[in-house]
Amino acid sequence: MSLILNLLLNGIALGMLIFLIAVGLSLIFGLMGVLNFAHGAIFIWGAYLGWTVYGATGSFILALLGGTLGGIVLGWLMERLFIRPFYGNHVAQILLTLGLMIVLTEGVKIVWGPNILGFDKPELLQGVVTIMEHAFPIYRFFTIGVGLLVLLGVHLLLTRTKYGLIIRAGVQNPEMVQALGIDVKKAFTMVFALGAGLAAFGGVMAGPSFGSVFPELGMQNQLAAFIVIVIGGIGNFAGAAVGSLLIGVLQTFMAFYVPDAAVAVNVALMALVLILKPEGIFGVRR
């Protein structure tokens, strides 16, 4: 029982980390219908910016703020310069964002180099807690808590604020919202920038969890983010959270009992959900 509890807690922590990566993509893909294959590049730029700020200041809070702000600026520039002309054109979006993914990943190598860089945990979040004779890192408890706060914050933003109402209305009927005198393009830019900022925030959180950052980390985690939003239901944040937890727990148990199948289990779970419920667990059939 102690081993199962430890694996379950590790799985939940991994799931929340995946959710922090996927929540920004859920905004961009789920609400705006933009297939952003450069999401992983924004994630890794956030991680490296956070690493730089953390190294310069020693403050993890400033690292989170710096990485997130960098992601917001990067997302704003991407939407204004590249994405805006191709809303509704998924083929162009895929080709464009794949190109941006390559360019931004190479940019990381130019600025910080291609080698692995160590990313230490903040001093207050180092150490472990012993649960039923098994050690559980404090930073993973922190990750779980931050993931829950992000889920609550995004939910409240979209359902309890004026901006959330404009965003949801603009996605469903942009012509009507424009007729009311609201700048829909500005709202879409805000959504894309917010999604990019969340991706960068997830990158900073992921750095200490993995213990290091490297250029290919973005591409590795981007696949998990796409799988999560497909499993949970496109545009459904509760679904993204549940999908992340399912992936995290299942992958943790498989990594312990059947290591060779740990990676393949994500794709297998997505295939099973698509067969049984193509719109996702919490998705709505259109």
Side-chain angles (χ1 to χ4, degrees):
M1 285 299 297
S2 63
L3 175 61
I4 292 175
L5 177 61
N6 187 266
L7 289 174
L8 183 61
L9 286 173
N10 278 286
I12 292 172
L14 176 60
M16 276 302 171
L17 185 61
I18 294 172
F19 173 72
L20 289 174
I21 301 167
V23 63
L25 184 62
S26 184
L27 268 176
I28 294 171
F29 184 27
L31 286 181
M32 301 173 62
V34 175
L35 292 167
N36 182 21
F37 282 87
H39 188 77
I42 299 172
F43 164 85
I44 197 59
W45 267 86
Y48 272 93
L49 288 171
W51 177 87
T52 301
V53 174
Y54 187 46
T57 66
S59 171
F60 190 62
I61 293 176
L62 290 179
L64 287 170
L65 290 174
T68 303
L69 181 61
I72 290 173
V73 172
L74 188 58
W76 184 84
L77 290 172
M78 284 178 59
E79 197 278 340
R80 292 294 299 269
L81 298 177
F82 302 106
I83 303 298
R84 183 173 290 185
F86 300 106
Y87 281 120
N89 189 340
H90 288 161
V91 174
Q93 290 170 8
I94 292 172
L95 295 174
L96 176 64
T97 55
L98 279 174
L100 288 173
M101 175 72 177
I102 296 171
V103 170
L104 290 172
T105 301
E106 292 302 312
V108 166
K109 296 178 182 178
I110 292 172
V111 176
W112 288 280
N115 298 324
I116 296 175
L117 302 177
F119 201 144
D120 295 330
K121 296 179 178 66
E123 186 175 348
L124 289 175
L125 300 175
Q126 293 178 3
V128 297
V129 175
T130 302
I131 301 176
M132 297 179 66
E133 301 181 354
H134 286 273
F136 191 79
I138 294 173
Y139 189 82
R140 292 183 185 173
F141 279 118
F142 176 69
T143 302
I144 293 172
V146 169
L148 292 174
L149 287 176
V150 170
L151 173 62
L152 178 62
V154 173
H155 173 74
L156 291 177
L157 173 66
L158 292 177
T159 60
R160 296 289 188 270
T161 68
K162 171 186 173 183
Y163 293 107
L165 178 63
I166 292 173
I167 291 168
R168 288 183 290 119
V171 170
Q172 294 178 8
N173 195 332
E175 292 81 10
M176 179 63 72
V177 175
Q178 194 77 40
L180 294 174
I182 298 171
D183 191 342
V184 176
K185 291 181 179 179
K186 184 181 293 185
F188 278 10
T189 301
M190 183 178 72
V191 173
F192 198 94
L194 176 60
L198 288 169
F201 178 85
V204 182
M205 287 291 298
S209 183
F210 295 138
S212 62
V213 291
F214 51 93
E216 291 76 22
L217 189 63
M219 180 64 79
Q220 291 180 9
N221 287 279
Q222 179 171 279
L223 176 60
F226 271 104
I227 290 174
V228 160
I229 63 173
V230 171
I231 289 175
I234 294 174
N236 190 296
F237 299 102
V242 171
S244 298
L245 290 173
L246 283 174
I247 288 293
V249 171
L250 188 58
Q251 185 171 319
T252 300
F253 273 86
M254 291 298 289
F256 184 82
Y257 290 107
V258 191
D260 292 339
V263 177
V265 71
N266 296 347
V267 179
L269 179 59
M270 180 181 68
L272 180 63
V273 170
L274 287 175
I275 291 171
L276 299 178
K277 200 170 188 290
E279 63 274 18
I281 297 174
F282 289 88
V284 178
R285 189 180 296 274
R286 299 182 185 276

